[in-house]
Amino acid sequence: MGGLELSEKGLSISTVERETGLLKDTLRVWEKRYGFPTPGRDENGERVYGRDQVDKLLLIKRLIDRGARPSKVVGLSMEELLERTGSRADEAANPPELTEALKLVKTHNVVGLRNRLDSSLLHQGLERFLQDTVAPLNLMVGEAWMRGEFEVFEEHLYTESVQALLRSTVASVSRPSGSPRVLLTTLPGEQHILGMLMAECMLWIHGAACIALGPQTPAGEIARAADAQRADVVGLSFSPAYPAHTAVDTLVALRAMLPPGIAMWAGGSNPALFRRRIDGVLPVRELAAIPDAVASWRANRSGT
Amino acid sequence: MGGLELSEKGLSISTVERETGLLKDTLRVWEKRYGFPTPGRDENGERVYGRDQVDKLLLIKRLIDRGARPSKVVGLSMEELLERTGSRADEAANPPELTEALKLVKTHNVVGLRNRLDSSLLHQGLERFLQDTVAPLNLMVGEAWMRGEFEVFEEHLYTESVQALLRSTVASVSRPSGSPRVLLTTLPGEQHILGMLMAECMLWIHGAACIALGPQTPAGEIARAADAQRADVVGLSFSPAYPAHTAVDTLVALRAMLPPGIAMWAGGSNPALFRRRIDGVLPVRELAAIPDAVASWRANRSGT
DNA sequence: GCCCATAATTGTCCTAGACAAATATTGACA
DNA sequence: TGTCAATATTTGTCTAGGACAATTATGGGC
């Protein structure tokens, strides 16, 4: 019943869908329109993708998430794709501490990485640690991955290390208290939670109470949870890979379900959030905007 | 471009796929074969699902994951479905502390729940806490959800509370050391991480070192990571919802990629792991089996 | 009782076409 | 030259119906 798997020979279209996030329909239509990917066929007439094609698809997807047009990038050679990665000379502009941290990831030195992060956190304090260390490191890891300098598992290792650190920091907050009460989650299909964790830290620093629902809560459930938890704000996080119109549509729908007294904040590096205003939804472009959001919420509240 | 969203009116087939985990193809073929679901159509001829249908689909999916046959359960009424939920009188058999903990979830008292879990952990110690509190609570939450007594967001709240507690416990381990070195992760598409966290705790108690890769690592990357981290064991976790044949196929493929010196352990409540032996993969039926696995690994290692 | 051959069930893949939303391009006008 | 509206292209996702292999159930013989 379908479900071939990644043997050494090749991957089924389902597997490629899961690993790249590109729908089966999209894979098939790209093949027809742009001549890529070019899977083989098994004895059964079903598509079989090679590992190299999947790697290329992942790279293409990142370029598209960044704003490239499919017709321009699907079907390019690997070299041409790597050229478009950009971020050429500016890597030298990064502080040496960050470059060194990256080197620790590259050498799979988890312990060393964790030590360095711990020490940065202690030295800088949480807020500056988030803004000056974690945020730029995230970017650098993403860029390095695009340039083919990082394996997927190395990215996992990095993400997991940072998350563990932030989580244990957040856990040290005994109980949620303060205001506003912010319900934090992501929509179904959005699995990136690092941004949400960073937001949770920032909110906590600035005296807000966070109720973390974990990732992937359907909109209807978010509305019920906001009611049950008497939340003042619903905070949602969107990675660049999250489909733009789904994000906007769901935000609009959720806005209609929530009482007007509950604010909505949408953050993350997804461009859809900042292209056009969504009525009743506050876009939070970066971590540094969180304190402002909190402050203006309090001003509004005390004004009423 | 497609991607309608959950307004009050209805959900698109993509959204239903994301929220239920049932593929679009499956939804369409069920509609044709069993007469359910019965979505409406928008002005565009595209399927529009009601919230009630999605709830029913979620319930059906859980019954099927448990072993029911689709032809027998798809198309039953909501009442008939609830009858098959089973777990009738045995809920009285649960210890009263657990029932009380559930009540805290039901009243959305996150703080109370967290307090109670903390105190159970201190009182019982980590190992008994996992086996006598967390594991049965997981089951009870799942059952209660099937009986319609829990909302999705209440399950999220519960899961998040337990995860936060276990994570902060794990984080208190300064650095990974000990043997065997176990690389822990899940395969792409498997998002349930609670089981993995519980395993991490058990392994730590019994002197193993865990390297957590986070969820959803492709098989090839697991192999590279195992090499880079000099792992002795690769540990994978499978929830009941994970497709059976995908699990088996990928385990076989991964086994072929890994050197024979690296053991593979597969755990979780997915029935596929225990139906038939997979060569070179040790099935770990429950938490209590982890100490045995560790002990026998050590015996083997010292023997050689 | 168990075991094997046959029958039914079931999920996923295939092709090919259609269309609306998003994005780019053109042209008119200040 | 710059801005805005109208048109053209691009793009992802949906539709339909058919096919098939893997899984699970059923019957018959021992």
Side-chain angles (χ1 to χ4, degrees), chain A residues 243-282:
Chain A
H245 60 81
T246 307
V248 174
D249 289 353
T250 316
L251 285 171
V252 171
L254 181 55
R255 177 68 279 178
M257 293 183 215
L258 287 172
I262 299 184
M264 282 178 66
W265 298 351
S269 37
N270 191 303
L273 304 175
F274 312 107
R275 268 210 291 268
R276 221 170 313 165
R277 257 201 67 69
I278 307 171
D279 232 43
V281 177
L282 180 72

Side-chain angles (χ1 to χ4, degrees), chain B residues 68-114:
Chain B
R69 306 243 46 204
S71 60
K72 299 284 168 57
V73 290
V74 183
L76 292 185
S77 73
M78 208 61 185
E79 294 77 30
E80 293 169 308
L81 285 173
L82 286 173
E83 277 177 27
R84 315 224 165 195
T85 310
S87 73
R88 13 207 164 263
D90 53 1
E91 55 180 299
N94 288 319
E97 314 92 68
L98 299 184
T99 320
E100 275 176 50
L102 274 209
K103 233 174 254 158
L104 291 172
V105 181
K106 246 178 267 187
T107 53
H108 313 132
N109 184 346
V110 192
V111 174
L113 175 66
R114 181 65 197 261

